[in-house]
């Protein structure tokens, strides 16, 4: 079909016009299949880091800043001494944490480009490239608190990740109510969040944060790992 359409267009449009049209708005792009929704590999996150300045911007300019501020404030009040961040990305939340809280910190992510950027902009903290399903950080590192924002919805085996966290650890995480190309799941309301995750915690609370006027919501999970 692709080749047949290309042939028809070539026959009815003069070559000089066709070349000009291809230069400003390639017709091929409209024929490409949309990217499938689901779990992505490290290369996808490397590419998305390169394609958007958002991931290298100061944390105060991020759409997540209001939510990160709540988490950091709660961590500060908790008196956390040692933090492990799952899926730390380019270190934006870590930079906010470094500015507000005195603590030990290690963050990990499987995107090499994001980790290298985090190491550059937040040199006082430790960042390592690790796969959440292969790392020994859950067992070998020292932490009393785990941060896991906008991560659980991106992996099929999200509950396996929770099972890796040391019992008695304080947990702060977020999940969304909207779909995205790299989302495996999203949640219609806080009851759905509790239904999926409550059994992994001694005491799970779920707070709802409205992000914009169109109904975009983030659910903030706080609790102690069972």
């Amino acid at each position: 079909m692709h080749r047949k359409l290309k042939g028809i267009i070539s026959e009815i449009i003069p070559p000089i016009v066709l070349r000009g049209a291809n230069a400003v708005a390639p017709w091929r792009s409209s024929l490409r299949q949309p990217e499938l929704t689901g779990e992505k590999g490290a290369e996808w996150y490397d590419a998305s880091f390169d394609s958007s300045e958002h991931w290298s911007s100061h944390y105060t300019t991020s759409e997540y800043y209001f939510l990160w501020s709540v988490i950091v404030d709660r961590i500060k009040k908790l008196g956390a001494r040692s933090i492990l961040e799952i899926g730390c990305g380019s270190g934006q939340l870590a930079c906010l944490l470094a500015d507000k809280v005195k603590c030990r910190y290690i963050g990990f992510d499987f995107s090499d480009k994001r980790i290298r950027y985090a190491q550059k902009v937040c040199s006082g903290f430790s960042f390592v490239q690790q796969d959440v399903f292969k790392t020994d950080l859950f067992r070998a590192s020292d932490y009393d608190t785990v941060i896991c924002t906008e991560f659980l919805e991106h992996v099929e085996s999200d509950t396996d990740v929770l099972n890796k966290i040391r019992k008695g650890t304080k947990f702060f995480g977020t999940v969304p109510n909207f779909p995205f190309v790299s989302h495996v799941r999203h949640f219609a309301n806080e009851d759905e969040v509790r239904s999926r995750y409550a059994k992994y915690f001694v005491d799970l609370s779920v707070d709802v944060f409205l992000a914009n006027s169109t109904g975009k919501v983030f659910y903030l999970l706080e609790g102690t790992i069972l």
Side-chain angles (χ1 to χ4, degrees):
M1 179 64 182
H2 185 157
R3 293 181 180 177
K4 184 177 180 180
L5 180 58
K6 181 178 178 181
I8 293 172
I9 292 174
S10 299
E11 289 176 5
I12 64 175
I13 301 178
I16 189 170
V17 176
L18 185 58
R19 286 197 298 272
N22 283 338
V24 297
W27 62 271
R28 295 181 185 85
S29 62
S30 65
L31 299 175
R32 292 173 183 162
Q33 291 295 322
E35 186 175 4
L36 295 177
T37 299
E39 188 170 335
K40 308 299 182 187
E43 298 82 3
W44 189 92
Y45 290 94
D46 282 344
S48 68
F49 176 79
D50 286 337
S51 67
S52 175
E53 294 181 355
H54 163 77
W55 304 113
S56 56
S57 65
H58 192 266
Y59 60 75
T60 54
T61 67
S62 173
E63 66 173 318
Y64 301 107
Y65 177 50
F66 80 99
L67 190 55
W68 292 340
S69 296
V70 172
I71 294 171
V72 170
D73 182 62
R74 293 186 182 187
I75 286 174
K76 188 175 182 179
K77 290 179 180 178
L78 177 67
R81 300 185 308 274
S82 185
I83 295 171
L84 178 68
E85 184 176 6
I86 302 169
C88 64
S90 55
Q92 290 166 307
L93 173 52
C95 286
L96 172 58
L97 193 64
D99 287 344
K100 301 294 184 180
V101 181
K102 291 184 178 180
C103 62
R104 295 188 303 276
Y105 170 99
I106 183 166
F108 71 96
D109 197 291
F110 70 173
S111 168
D112 176 64
K113 290 189 176 182
R114 293 174 188 245
I115 285 295
R116 284 193 280 114
Y117 186 82
Q119 291 169 337
K120 180 174 67 173
V121 298
C122 196
S123 57
F125 281 169
S126 297
F127 299 91
V128 291
Q129 182 188 13
Q130 297 278 343
D131 185 316
V132 69
F133 299 108
K134 299 177 182 179
T135 185
D136 65 348
L137 288 171
F138 294 108
R139 178 189 58 81
S141 61
D142 175 35
Y143 58 91
D144 56 41
T145 304
V146 160
I147 299 174
C148 184
T149 60
E150 297 306 286
F151 174 84
L152 294 174
E153 72 272 18
H154 291 270
V155 294
E156 293 283 357
S157 302
D158 55 334
T159 55
D160 288 350
V161 175
L162 296 176
N163 280 326
K164 289 177 176 289
I165 301 171
R166 190 176 298 132
K167 292 182 179 180
T169 298
K170 190 69 174 182
F171 178 94
F172 296 92
T174 63
V175 292
N177 77 330
F178 54 90
F180 188 66
V181 67
S182 59
H183 288 180
V184 173
R185 69 188 65 81
H186 58 279
F187 300 86
N189 51 58
E190 58 267 41
D191 288 337
E192 285 191 2
V193 178
R194 290 191 188 94
S195 177
R196 186 169 185 86
Y197 297 121
K199 62 185 175 183
Y200 300 95
F201 295 89
V202 175
D203 51 349
L204 178 67
S205 66
V206 181
D207 294 321
V208 183
F209 291 85
L210 184 64
N212 61 29
S213 60
T214 65
K216 186 176 183 179
V217 164
F218 295 105
Y219 303 104
L220 173 57
L221 292 73
E222 179 180 349
T224 304
I225 296 293
L226 182 63

